[in-house]
């Protein structure tokens, strides 16, 4: 009987070690002075002594993946962009409550470790972490032969942040008269790719196809990384968003527009008894969304309930700082505009499609009305 080894079973530990060596420099570049130790330990350590200055520090945590966008990366053999998608999906969920991220970890499951591929993925994660000032404190690459195909992989991540209890953002701060500031998306981000991939498949379009509306290939457009909002949102909160009293906040809530679309995610941060109106004509839809709609004859309601349609983050702010909030966003390189405002539900006349009770949150509602500008 021949010998059965771990390598014969499909796991190459030497390849895993090579992948770690290839990614070490990228990961090291994310380290901040608060990080204790280096790469390769069983656990990452971060010094949180500064939390002693908080009166009541709250830890915020989030975890997510990139979804079926990885199929586009695999098909094109381009793996260094989805890392930014992962960071955006995770860290920007933390900033929504007003938290400053302290650390992030990642996890890659694959059928076979190709060191260069794994290093590309992690390099993308690390570059995005560095861009938002968050150390990539640890990670894991797991080889799953027999469970996943040799070229298959999936990525996930988790992050932890901190916020002073008196400065947590959310529905309890939102009130009638607040203004909705929409912050532009970079494209599809990382949601709705099952719909998008099905549309492309039915249409028979190849990823290498040049699309005039995009000025580049279909594949390049579909791989456009998720925009990172963390620094812009924190600048908004800490700059124009804070009053003279540390507990006074002019930025009342943030909504990260991910799966479910703008209205569904905005409704999650509104309290019962209030309704927000969103004017579809307030911004122009980027070409990729209309191409998907036309190519697949996708109904508007389905498109609106699946994709971000060009708005990746919404800030719900006091009317007095609306223009200043827009300027902060623009200064961070993110176009922004007023989408609408918040009203008392019993004094508001609905004119469009009402969305409420999403993601298990029984709170306020959103009336999304008007016609999109294409």
């Amino acid at each position: 009987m021949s010998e059965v080894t771990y390598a014969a079973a499909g796991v190459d530990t030497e390849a895993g070690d090579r992948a770690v060596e290839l990614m070490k420099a990228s990961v090291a570049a994310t380290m901040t002075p608060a990080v204790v130790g280096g790469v390769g330990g069983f656990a990452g350590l971060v010094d949180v002594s500064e939390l002693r200055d908080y009166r009541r520090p709250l830890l915020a945590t989030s975890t997510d993946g990139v979804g079926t966008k990885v199929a586009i990366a695999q098909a094109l053999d381009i793996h260094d962009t989805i890392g930014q998608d992962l960071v955006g999906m995770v860290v920007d969920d933390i900033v929504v409550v007003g938290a400053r991220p302290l650390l992030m970890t990642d996890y890659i499951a694959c059928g076979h470790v190709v060191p260069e591929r794994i290093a590309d993925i992690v390099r993308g994660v690390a570059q995005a972490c560095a861009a938002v000032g968050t150390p990539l404190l640890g990670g894991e690459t797991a080889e799953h032969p027999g469970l996943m195909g040799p070229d298959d992989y999936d990525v996930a991540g988790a992050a932890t942040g901190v916020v002073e209890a008196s400065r947590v953002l959310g529905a309890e701060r939102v009130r009638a008269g607040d203004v909705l500031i929409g912050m532009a998306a970079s494209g599809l981000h990382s949601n709705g790719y099952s719909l998008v991939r099905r549309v492309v498949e039915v249409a028979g379009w190849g990823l290498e196809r040049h699309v005039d509306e995009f000025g580049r290939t279909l594949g390049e457009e579909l791989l456009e990384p998720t925009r990172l909002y963390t620094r812009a949102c924190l600048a908004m909160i800490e700059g124009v968003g804070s009053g003279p009293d540390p507990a006074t906040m002019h930025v009342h809530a943030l909504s990260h527009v991910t799966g479910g679309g703008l209205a569904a995610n905005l409704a999650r941060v509104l309290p019962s008894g209030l309704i927000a109106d969103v004017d579809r004509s307030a911004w122009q839809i980027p070409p990729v969304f209309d191409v998907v709609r036309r190519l697949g004859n996708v109904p508007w309601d389905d498109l609106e309930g699946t994709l971000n349609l060009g708005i990746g983050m919404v800030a719900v702010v006091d009317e007095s700082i609306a223009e200043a909030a827009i300027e902060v966003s623009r200064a961070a390189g993110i176009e922004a505009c007023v989408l609408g405002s918040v009203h008392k539900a019993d004094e508001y006349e609905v004119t469009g499609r009402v969305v409420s009770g999403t993601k298990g949150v029984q709170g306020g509602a959103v009336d999304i009305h008007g016609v999109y500008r294409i």
Side-chain angles (χ1 to χ4, degrees), residues 13 37 41 64 68 90 94 101 117 157 169 178 183 188 205 210 235 242 300 309 326 330 339 366:
T13 56
D64 208 339
T68 62
V90 174
I94 285 178
R117 181 189 299 159
L169 305 184
D178 282 351
M183 301 170 71
L188 291 164
W205 281 23
H210 181 86
S242 300
W300 273 112
L309 295 185
I326 289 174
R330 288 174 176 168
L339 302 179
V366 174

Side-chain angles (χ1 to χ4, degrees), residues 199 291-300:
V199 166
V291 168
V292 169
R293 180 186 67 85
R294 290 186 284 106
L295 198 59
N297 195 28
V298 183
W300 273 112

Side-chain angles (χ1 to χ4, degrees), residues 59-298:
L59 294 181
T61 185
S62 177
T63 187
D64 208 339
V66 176
T68 62
K69 189 171 185 174
V70 297
I72 307 296
Q74 291 166 357
L76 292 172
D77 196 25
I78 297 174
H79 311 283
D80 61 350
T81 62
I82 58 168
Q84 179 166 324
D85 294 297
L86 183 63
V87 174
M89 289 299 100
V90 174
V91 175
D92 282 339
D93 272 1
I94 285 178
V95 79
V96 159
V97 298
R100 176 176 56 84
L102 295 172
L103 61 96
M104 180 163 175
T105 59
D106 64 3
Y107 176 83
I108 304 169
C110 61
H112 175 65
V113 170
V114 178
E116 294 76 14
R117 181 189 299 159
I118 299 300
D120 279 351
I121 297 169
V122 175
R123 184 172 70 253
V125 176
Q127 288 173 344
C129 280
V132 296
T134 306
L136 181 57
L137 202 58
E140 174 71 10
T141 300
E143 201 167 17
H144 293 160
L147 183 63
M148 303 177 74
D151 292 323
D152 292 339
Y153 66 80
D154 198 9
V155 297
T160 299
V162 64
V163 59
E164 183 68 70
S166 64
R167 297 173 64 82
V168 173
L169 305 184
E172 64 279 358
R173 293 189 182 272
V174 178
R175 55 182 181 264
D178 282 351
V179 175
L180 310 173
I181 305 299
M183 301 170 71
S186 57
L188 291 164
H189 285 185
S190 301
N191 305 105
Y193 272 76
S194 293
L195 170 65
V196 173
R197 289 170 51 244
R198 179 60 176 163
V199 166
V200 170
E201 178 187 2
V202 170
W205 281 23
L207 295 175
E208 73 287 347
R209 181 188 182 112
H210 181 86
V211 182
D212 290 341
E213 292 93 331
F214 307 155
R216 55 182 174 177
T217 67
L218 175 63
E220 289 170 329
E221 181 69 27
L222 297 187
L223 271 191
E224 179 66 33
T226 301
R227 174 160 280 156
L228 303 172
Y229 297 95
T230 295
R231 286 194 184 274
C233 289
L234 290 176
M236 194 181 296
I237 294 166
E238 295 165 3
V240 299
S242 300
D245 181 341
T248 302
M249 304 291 294
H250 298 316
V251 174
H252 295 154
L254 292 167
S255 175
H256 192 194
V257 183
T258 54
L262 192 160
N265 283 287
L266 179 57
R268 299 167 66 184
V269 299
L270 300 176
S272 179
L274 295 186
I275 185 168
D277 78 277
V278 172
D279 183 355
R280 295 185 179 105
S281 68
W283 75 99
Q284 186 163 354
I285 292 181
V288 65
F289 299 100
D290 192 48
V291 168
V292 169
R293 180 186 67 85
R294 290 186 284 106
L295 198 59
N297 195 28
V298 183

